[in-house]
Amino acid sequence: MKAVENNASNSARPFSEEKILKECRHYFSSETARTAEIAERFMEYFIRNASSEGVLFKTIKEITHDLNISHQTLTKVLKRLEEEEIIYRRNGIIGLWQE
């Protein structure tokens, strides 16, 4: 029953988790292994905690605490994801560009 519930909630999302993680891995493949791992951890965190519209309402401080990573590293990851138009940051939210 749990799998059915997860599929139902995932199908309502305007994004494909697999596609996002694949793109993330691709964009960070030229980075250090640590940065690539943090980028993937962030995207998994984003997918788990984002609203059904693809918006994350968490501060950088909350994210760094939850993931136990440095502010500097998270900022580097977020900037790269913005450059590649995977996410956008506006007024304290992190949103996912629609596919």
Side-chain angles (χ1 to χ4, degrees):
M1 187 64 156
K2 184 76 170 171
V4 173
E5 291 172 4
N6 285 342
N7 286 339
S9 65
N10 289 344
S11 64
R13 291 180 177 230
F15 54 88
S16 163
E17 295 174 20
E18 294 160 7
K19 182 179 178 187
I20 292 168
L21 290 174
K22 183 179 176 182
E23 287 179 2
C24 181
R25 288 181 194 115
H26 171 74
Y27 294 132
F28 286 91
S29 63
S30 62
E31 298 287 338
T32 65
R34 177 78 177 141
T35 302
E37 184 243 333
I38 288 172
E40 188 164 344
R41 280 180 45 209
F42 169 75
M43 288 311 302
E44 289 169 350
Y45 176 85
F46 181 95
I47 290 165
R48 279 192 318 272
N49 294 290
S51 70
S52 61
E53 293 83 27
V55 178
L56 181 64
F57 297 98
K58 296 264 189 172
T59 65
I60 300 297
K61 185 175 182 178
E62 289 173 314
I63 297 168
T64 57
H65 180 266
D66 291 349
L67 294 176
N68 193 27
I69 58 176
S70 73
H71 183 277
Q72 180 181 1
T73 305
L74 179 61
T75 300
K76 179 180 178 180
V77 166
L78 292 176
K79 283 183 181 181
R80 180 71 190 270
L81 291 169
E82 279 185 290
E83 289 170 4
E84 300 298 340
E85 295 187 347
I86 302 292
I87 64 165
Y88 62 89
R89 294 190 285 174
R90 303 280 188 280
N91 301 323
I93 65 164
I94 300 173
L96 187 66
W97 284 105
Q98 299 298 316
E99 297 179 342

